[in-house]
Amino acid sequence: MNPEMRQAYLDALARCADDAGIRAVVLTASGDKAFCTGADLSGSRAATGAAGPAHPGATRDAMRPSQRVIQTLWDLEKPTVAAVNGVAAGLGAHLA
């Protein structure tokens, strides 16, 4: 899940929360290879091979966007079903 996907996901959950006509949410993938293989780490120090976090709170800071996704889903007061079609790893496992 890259930043653009994350924002689209959060926007969709906000619409679901606000629309009384939506009584339940089904979360699934649009492709057929994986449900979600996790957060996009391509810009992180870990992905570039850099040693250690940039500062003492760097790991926590890197996880904040994913934590926001999970918290938003947790706070949604409508039944939610994950239709897992393939791999659900990392953030994907949390979503499921």
Side-chain angles (χ1 to χ4, degrees), residues 1-3 39-50 52 54 58 62:
M1 181 177 281
N2 63 33
D40 179 3
L41 302 176
S42 62
S44 74
R45 292 176 61 88
T48 61

Side-chain angles (χ1 to χ4, degrees), residues 25-87:
V25 175
V26 177
L27 177 62
T28 191
S30 60
D32 60 350
K33 294 183 180 183
F35 172 72
C36 179
T37 57
D40 179 3
L41 302 176
S42 62
S44 74
R45 292 176 61 88
T48 61
H55 57 83
T59 301
R60 180 190 61 237
D61 291 346
M63 293 304 299
R64 283 190 203 283
S66 293
Q67 291 171 343
R68 183 171 167 224
V69 166
I70 300 303
Q71 187 65 51
T72 301
L73 183 60
W74 183 263
D75 290 341
L76 184 64
E77 294 186 9
K78 297 185 180 190
T80 306
V81 175
V84 179
N85 50 338
V87 176

